[in-house]
Amino acid sequence: MRVLMVASEAVPFAKTGGLADVAGALPGALERLGCDVTLVMPAYRDVFTKGLPIEETGLSFEVPLGARRATARILRGRLPGSDVTPFFIANDACFDRPTLYGGAEDYADNAERFIFFARAALEFAGRQDRPFDILHCHDWQAGLVPAYQKLAYRAWPMLSQARAVMTIHNMAYQGLFWHWDMLLTGFDWKYFNWQQMEFFGQLSFLKTGLVFADAISTVSPTYAKEIQHAPGGCGLEGVLAARSDALVGIVNGIDTTVWNPAVDRHIPRGYGPDTVAEGKDAARIALAARLGHAAPDPRPLVALVGRLVEQKGIDLVIEMLGRMAGGGRAHFVILGTGSADTEDALRHAAAAYPGTIDVVIGFDEEFAHLVFAAADIALVPSRYEPCGLTQLYALRYGTIPVVRATGGLVDTVVDATPETLASGRASGFVFEAFDSLALEHALDRALLAHADRTLWSGLVRHVMDQDWSWDASAREYVRLFERVRAAPPVAVS
Ligand code: ADP
Ligand code: GLC
């Protein structure tokens, strides 16, 4: 089965969040199951700063972009640990920029950049020598691909038999642009209606993808249910409910070659379930040094790594820290970047409790590995969470997650109760209400459990033995691809 994977970011080349982790690992996992995967992403400036080999292919072509044409130059790289060849679409005006999507404000021309990207991805695929079976499109940045395939490239032999699968990583980011951007797409205005491309007067890239795709997936079964209702669907719940037959939830895996405490290059001492105490001790010495402490803190270490935005429930953490940090029962380490207000509030909390709260503002992949290795407990108190990867990394590193019962967190963490502990299924501490007291209560339970050495080491061993690799999830994608390939394409008019 030949798969074109269209994603706006992928590790190790460019990353702002979990989509990059998925797009960097899923192609290799699909290849191991016999798929032939071609990954296509933009050639951002970041791509060239990683010291990875990126070479010219010699292929370039013109892509229609409204009334003009823009040149796409195709570059080629290597996806470490797999036989997948990633291709990069270069156009310096579009992608040679300091960040992927903009800063505090999105780039004003993001519609144009990702219209170009979607078309260029198809024009590239259309110039290959073997036809594609599946176009696997991720998030709004690839949202126009299913529509272009059906409305503009249907006659191209390499694309004509393909089915488009749209994968949603986050309903809150929809790619909404003013209606005049329709002119840049080249689509007929007749598609700008409430059932297809229009969303409250704007052009919606994600809605377009959901309507024109032959199948839709999202990154956990619980999120697949949540998005068919308000508020989870972020206004598109009706569109998703109408296509519920075409919608599945497949939980993300993790790249166990990158996230493996036994061989992790970013931690001082590799460890497994039998050597977790030694491994964590070494990591804590390194972490203390990195944070400027003379010695590691003997108290339980509670960590949070993530984007410091509304979705992640950082407001709950800030409220909780205000009450808990003075009690001195734990040491907190927070690594993230996000809104200026949240960053300031966290810096303020750290200044109020030196030696108890450490806040590191920045995006630091290597440091994230050290934090997961050093910590005892990881917080993921999200308002909503399509899948969530940090709880999976935590589990792999023997770090017990405290999570809110939402989206993929429901599907990946089993609350520790007397029953689940007795049956050996418990893997973390789960709270329901989006409320800082509920978070505090769950963290209290975790700290109490941490004090019981036998209970805690049993929990740690269990979570480290779990298999969150891509194998099972990639198989589900293959089944989805097979199903959609066997069915007729979605009808468009
Ligand atoms: P989302 O995609 O919503 O941000 P995920 O949990 O799926 O959430 O993925 C987040 C990814 O980004 C994880 O790999 C996490 O470790 C990483 N990450 C987030 N913020 C940072 C940061 N400041 N430094 C390093 N890694 C980060
Ligand atoms: C999104 C979601 C996150 C998910 C990631 C990868 O960014 O917010 O929950 O894990 O995509 O699918």
Side-chain angles (χ1 to χ4, degrees):
M1 180 145 38
R2 187 133 201 253
V3 180
L4 179 77
M5 191 165 300
V6 187
S8 59
E9 49 185 271
V11 289
F13 306 105
K15 165 167 172 174
T16 67
L19 165 61
D21 295 18
V22 172
L26 178 57
L30 290 171
E31 285 240 325
R32 286 192 288 282
L33 296 174
C35 297
D36 174 1
V37 186
T38 303
L39 173 66
V40 184
M41 65 177 282
Y44 304 108
R45 186 179 300 171
D46 267 17
V47 167
F48 303 98
T49 61
K50 304 284 162 42
L52 297 161
I54 309 285
E55 59 192 36
E56 297 282 344
T57 61
L59 176 62
S60 74
F61 46 81
E62 304 259 288
V63 177
L65 196 54
R68 67 186 182 92
R69 303 178 80 77
T71 304
R73 215 172 79 243
I74 304 297
L75 310 177
R76 177 170 45 214
R78 280 192 39 239
L79 200 57
S82 82
D83 294 331
V84 175
T85 304
F87 290 92
F88 302 91
I89 294 175
N91 175 295
D92 290 350
C94 284
F95 301 126
D96 183 22
R97 300 190 189 186
T99 64
L100 275 54
Y101 312 122
E105 304 255 311
D106 287 346
Y107 292 130
D109 59 350
N110 273 350
E112 186 169 339
R113 297 171 76 222
F114 289 99
I115 289 167
F116 170 75
F117 173 58
R119 283 203 93 145
L122 285 175
E123 296 257 346
F124 164 70
R127 287 171 165 79
Q128 302 304 295
D129 53 5
R130 280 168 306 128
F132 286 92
D133 301 298
I134 297 290
L135 311 176
H136 190 186
C137 315
H138 295 266
D139 275 357
W140 71 263
Q141 292 90 338
L144 298 187
V145 169
Y148 277 124
Q149 183 227 355
K150 293 196 169 56
L151 303 178
Y153 294 93
R154 185 159 250 169
W156 288 41
M158 299 303 131
L159 298 169
S160 58
Q161 295 307 310
R163 301 288 186 272
V165 175
M166 186 75 221
T167 293
I168 305 160
H169 296 263
N170 195 331
M171 285 305 300
Y173 300 94
Q174 301 187 355
L176 285 175
F177 301 100
W178 75 329
H179 60 282
W180 290 115
D181 285 328
M182 275 299 282
L183 294 174
L184 288 176
T185 65
F187 293 132
D188 192 300
W189 277 104
K190 75 175 183 181
Y191 298 108
F192 192 73
N193 67 70
W194 70 276
Q195 289 176 304
Q196 291 176 303
M197 297 183 177
E198 184 260 2
F199 184 72
F200 292 99
Q202 290 187 286
L203 166 62
S204 169
F205 281 28
L206 182 60
K207 180 172 175 177
T208 301
L210 300 178
V211 170
F212 285 87
D214 300 295
I216 303 168
S217 80
T218 188
V219 288
S220 70
T222 298
Y223 195 60
K225 288 188 209 126
E226 289 171 353
I227 60 180
Q228 297 182 49
H229 307 277
C234 299
L236 291 176
E237 50 275 359
V239 177
L240 289 160
R243 297 217 61 196
S244 63
D245 289 349
L247 169 65
V248 294
I250 302 177
V251 83
N252 287 330
I254 64 174
D255 186 335
T256 48
T257 60
V258 176
W259 295 95
N260 179 358
V263 295
D264 192 326
R265 288 179 293 111
H266 309 308
I267 64 177
R269 180 180 171 151
Y271 64 92
D274 293 324
T275 49
V276 59
E278 295 87 337
K280 281 193 175 285
D281 281 349
R284 289 167 82 126
I285 293 171
L287 183 72
R290 173 80 194 259
L291 294 171
H293 301 305
D297 188 336
R299 292 175 292 175
L301 184 64
V302 181
L304 186 151
V305 175
R307 292 180 296 120
L308 306 175
V309 297
E310 199 183 67
Q311 174 192 347
K312 301 292 175 180
I314 310 298
D315 36 342
L316 302 193
V317 177
I318 293 168
E319 272 179 42
M320 180 201 68
L321 287 174
R323 287 193 302 269
M324 259 189 102
R329 293 170 61 208
H331 188 127
F332 296 88
V333 176
I334 297 171
L335 166 65
T337 54
S339 67
D341 288 357
T342 312
E343 291 181 357
D344 283 348
L346 285 169
R347 281 201 196 97
H348 190 74
Y353 297 101
T356 289
I357 304 179
D358 284 294
V359 170
V360 178
I361 301 296
F363 197 98
D364 188 338
E365 191 86 32
E366 297 182 7
F367 190 48
H369 287 243
L370 182 63
V371 171
F372 286 121
D376 299 297
I377 294 168
L379 300 181
V380 196
S382 306
R383 187 173 262 107
Y384 70 92
E385 196 62 73
C387 177
L389 293 170
T390 62
Q391 81 280 12
L392 299 180
Y393 299 144
L395 292 167
R396 180 98 172 125
Y397 282 67
T399 304
I400 304 300
V402 171
V403 307
R404 177 153 178 269
T406 182
L409 300 171
V410 173
D411 300 320
T412 54
V413 180
V414 176
D415 188 34
T417 63
E419 296 75 43
T420 58
L421 283 166
S423 61
R425 290 185 304 119
S427 62
F429 297 84
V430 182
F431 64 99
E432 296 278 339
F434 187 75
D435 177 304
S436 68
L437 284 170
L439 164 62
E440 187 174 337
H441 180 61
L443 179 55
D444 263 339
R445 288 198 291 133
L447 291 172
L448 213 60
H450 182 266
D452 180 336
R453 285 279 132 215
T454 320
L455 186 156
W456 194 260
S457 54
L459 202 52
V460 168
R461 171 170 287 278
H462 167 60
V463 303
M464 289 189 77
D465 282 342
Q466 289 185 325
D467 179 4
W468 290 108
S469 69
W470 268 104
D471 299 350
S473 301
R475 268 197 292 278
E476 283 190 61
Y477 275 107
V478 171
R479 277 196 289 274
L480 168 64
F481 295 164
E482 279 166 354
R483 254 192 339 267
V484 67
R485 200 163 63 137
V490 73
V492 287
S493 53

CSV table of all heavy atoms in Angstrom, one decimal, residues 151 182 186-198 212 492-493:
chain,number,residue,atom,x,y,z
A,151,LEU,N,-11.1,17.8,-6.5
A,151,LEU,CA,-11.6,18.8,-7.4
A,151,LEU,C,-10.6,19.2,-8.5
A,151,LEU,O,-11.0,19.8,-9.5
A,151,LEU,CB,-12.0,20.0,-6.6
A,151,LEU,CG,-13.0,19.8,-5.5
A,151,LEU,CD1,-13.3,21.1,-4.7
A,151,LEU,CD2,-14.3,19.2,-6.1
A,182,MET,N,-10.3,32.4,-0.7
A,182,MET,CA,-10.8,31.4,-1.7
A,182,MET,C,-10.2,31.7,-3.1
A,182,MET,O,-10.0,30.7,-3.8
A,182,MET,CB,-12.4,31.6,-1.8
A,182,MET,CG,-13.2,30.8,-0.8
A,182,MET,SD,-13.0,29.0,-0.9
A,182,MET,CE,-13.9,28.6,-2.4
A,186,GLY,N,-8.1,28.8,-5.8
A,186,GLY,CA,-8.5,28.3,-7.1
A,186,GLY,C,-9.8,27.5,-7.2
A,186,GLY,O,-10.3,27.1,-8.2
A,187,PHE,N,-10.4,27.3,-6.0
A,187,PHE,CA,-11.6,26.5,-6.0
A,187,PHE,C,-12.8,27.4,-6.4
A,187,PHE,O,-12.8,28.6,-6.2
A,187,PHE,CB,-12.0,26.0,-4.6
A,187,PHE,CG,-11.0,25.0,-4.0
A,187,PHE,CD1,-10.5,25.1,-2.7
A,187,PHE,CD2,-10.7,23.9,-4.8
A,187,PHE,CE1,-9.6,24.1,-2.2
A,187,PHE,CE2,-9.8,22.9,-4.3
A,187,PHE,CZ,-9.3,23.0,-3.0
A,188,ASP,N,-13.8,26.8,-7.0
A,188,ASP,CA,-15.0,27.5,-7.4
A,188,ASP,C,-15.7,28.1,-6.2
A,188,ASP,O,-15.8,27.4,-5.2
A,188,ASP,CB,-15.9,26.5,-8.2
A,188,ASP,CG,-17.0,27.3,-8.9
A,188,ASP,OD1,-17.8,28.0,-8.2
A,188,ASP,OD2,-17.1,27.1,-10.1
A,189,TRP,N,-16.2,29.3,-6.3
A,189,TRP,CA,-17.0,29.9,-5.2
A,189,TRP,C,-18.1,29.0,-4.7
A,189,TRP,O,-18.6,29.1,-3.6
A,189,TRP,CB,-17.5,31.3,-5.5
A,189,TRP,CG,-16.4,32.3,-5.3
A,189,TRP,CD1,-15.7,32.9,-6.3
A,189,TRP,CD2,-16.0,32.9,-4.1
A,189,TRP,NE1,-14.9,33.9,-5.8
A,189,TRP,CE2,-15.0,33.8,-4.4
A,189,TRP,CE3,-16.3,32.7,-2.7
A,189,TRP,CZ2,-14.3,34.6,-3.4
A,189,TRP,CZ3,-15.6,33.4,-1.8
A,189,TRP,CH2,-14.6,34.4,-2.1
A,190,LYS,N,-18.6,28.1,-5.6
A,190,LYS,CA,-19.8,27.3,-5.2
A,190,LYS,C,-19.5,26.5,-4.0
A,190,LYS,O,-20.4,26.1,-3.3
A,190,LYS,CB,-20.3,26.5,-6.4
A,190,LYS,CG,-19.5,25.3,-6.7
A,190,LYS,CD,-20.2,24.5,-7.8
A,190,LYS,CE,-19.4,23.2,-8.0
A,190,LYS,NZ,-19.9,22.3,-9.0
A,191,TYR,N,-18.2,26.2,-3.8
A,191,TYR,CA,-17.9,25.3,-2.6
A,191,TYR,C,-17.9,26.1,-1.3
A,191,TYR,O,-17.8,25.5,-0.2
A,191,TYR,CB,-16.5,24.6,-2.8
A,191,TYR,CG,-16.6,23.7,-4.0
A,191,TYR,CD1,-15.9,24.0,-5.2
A,191,TYR,CD2,-17.3,22.5,-3.9
A,191,TYR,CE1,-15.9,23.2,-6.3
A,191,TYR,CE2,-17.3,21.7,-5.0
A,191,TYR,CZ,-16.7,22.0,-6.2
A,191,TYR,OH,-16.7,21.2,-7.3
A,192,PHE,N,-17.9,27.4,-1.5
A,192,PHE,CA,-17.9,28.3,-0.2
A,192,PHE,C,-19.3,28.3,0.3
A,192,PHE,O,-20.0,29.3,0.2
A,192,PHE,CB,-17.3,29.7,-0.6
A,192,PHE,CG,-17.0,30.5,0.6
A,192,PHE,CD1,-15.9,30.2,1.4
A,192,PHE,CD2,-17.8,31.5,1.0
A,192,PHE,CE1,-15.6,30.9,2.6
A,192,PHE,CE2,-17.5,32.3,2.2
A,192,PHE,CZ,-16.4,32.0,2.9
A,193,ASN,N,-19.7,27.2,0.9
A,193,ASN,CA,-21.1,27.2,1.5
A,193,ASN,C,-20.9,26.4,2.8
A,193,ASN,O,-19.9,25.8,3.1
A,193,ASN,CB,-22.0,26.5,0.6
A,193,ASN,CG,-21.7,25.0,0.4
A,193,ASN,OD1,-21.8,24.2,1.3
A,193,ASN,ND2,-21.1,24.6,-0.8
A,194,TRP,N,-22.0,26.5,3.6
A,194,TRP,CA,-21.9,26.0,5.0
A,194,TRP,C,-21.7,24.5,5.1
A,194,TRP,O,-21.3,24.0,6.1
A,194,TRP,CB,-23.1,26.5,5.8
A,194,TRP,CG,-24.4,25.8,5.4
A,194,TRP,CD1,-25.2,26.2,4.4
A,194,TRP,CD2,-25.0,24.6,6.0
A,194,TRP,NE1,-26.3,25.3,4.3
A,194,TRP,CE2,-26.2,24.4,5.3
A,194,TRP,CE3,-24.6,23.8,7.1
A,194,TRP,CZ2,-27.0,23.3,5.6
A,194,TRP,CZ3,-25.5,22.7,7.4
A,194,TRP,CH2,-26.6,22.5,6.6
A,195,GLN,N,-22.0,23.8,4.0
A,195,GLN,CA,-21.8,22.4,4.1
A,195,GLN,C,-20.4,21.9,3.6
A,195,GLN,O,-20.1,20.8,3.7
A,195,GLN,CB,-22.8,21.7,3.2
A,195,GLN,CG,-24.2,21.8,3.9
A,195,GLN,CD,-25.3,21.2,3.0
A,195,GLN,OE1,-25.4,21.6,1.9
A,195,GLN,NE2,-26.0,20.2,3.6
A,196,GLN,N,-19.6,22.9,3.1
A,196,GLN,CA,-18.3,22.4,2.5
A,196,GLN,C,-17.1,23.2,3.1
A,196,GLN,O,-16.5,22.8,4.0
A,196,GLN,CB,-18.4,22.4,1.0
A,196,GLN,CG,-19.3,21.3,0.6
A,196,GLN,CD,-19.5,21.2,-0.9
A,196,GLN,OE1,-19.9,22.2,-1.5
A,196,GLN,NE2,-19.2,20.1,-1.5
A,197,MET,N,-16.9,24.4,2.5
A,197,MET,CA,-15.6,25.1,2.9
A,197,MET,C,-15.8,26.3,3.9
A,197,MET,O,-14.9,26.8,4.4
A,197,MET,CB,-14.9,25.6,1.7
A,197,MET,CG,-14.5,24.4,0.8
A,197,MET,SD,-13.5,25.0,-0.6
A,197,MET,CE,-13.2,23.4,-1.4
A,198,GLU,N,-17.1,26.7,4.0
A,198,GLU,CA,-17.3,28.0,4.8
A,198,GLU,C,-17.6,27.7,6.2
A,198,GLU,O,-18.3,26.7,6.5
A,198,GLU,CB,-18.5,28.7,4.1
A,198,GLU,CG,-18.8,30.0,4.7
A,198,GLU,CD,-19.9,30.0,5.7
A,198,GLU,OE1,-20.5,28.9,5.9
A,198,GLU,OE2,-20.3,31.1,6.2
A,212,PHE,N,-14.2,16.7,2.6
A,212,PHE,CA,-13.7,16.0,1.4
A,212,PHE,C,-12.9,14.7,1.6
A,212,PHE,O,-12.7,14.0,0.6
A,212,PHE,CB,-12.9,17.0,0.6
A,212,PHE,CG,-13.8,18.1,-0.1
A,212,PHE,CD1,-14.1,19.2,0.5
A,212,PHE,CD2,-14.2,17.8,-1.4
A,212,PHE,CE1,-14.9,20.2,-0.1
A,212,PHE,CE2,-15.0,18.8,-2.1
A,212,PHE,CZ,-15.4,20.0,-1.4
A,492,VAL,N,-18.6,14.0,-4.0
A,492,VAL,CA,-18.6,15.5,-3.9
A,492,VAL,C,-19.4,16.1,-5.1
A,492,VAL,O,-19.4,15.5,-6.2
A,492,VAL,CB,-17.2,16.0,-3.9
A,492,VAL,CG1,-16.5,15.8,-2.6
A,492,VAL,CG2,-16.4,15.6,-5.1
A,493,SER,N,-20.1,17.2,-4.8
A,493,SER,CA,-20.7,17.9,-5.9
A,493,SER,C,-20.6,19.3,-5.7
A,493,SER,O,-20.3,19.8,-4.6
A,493,SER,CB,-22.2,17.4,-6.0
A,493,SER,OG,-22.8,17.6,-4.8
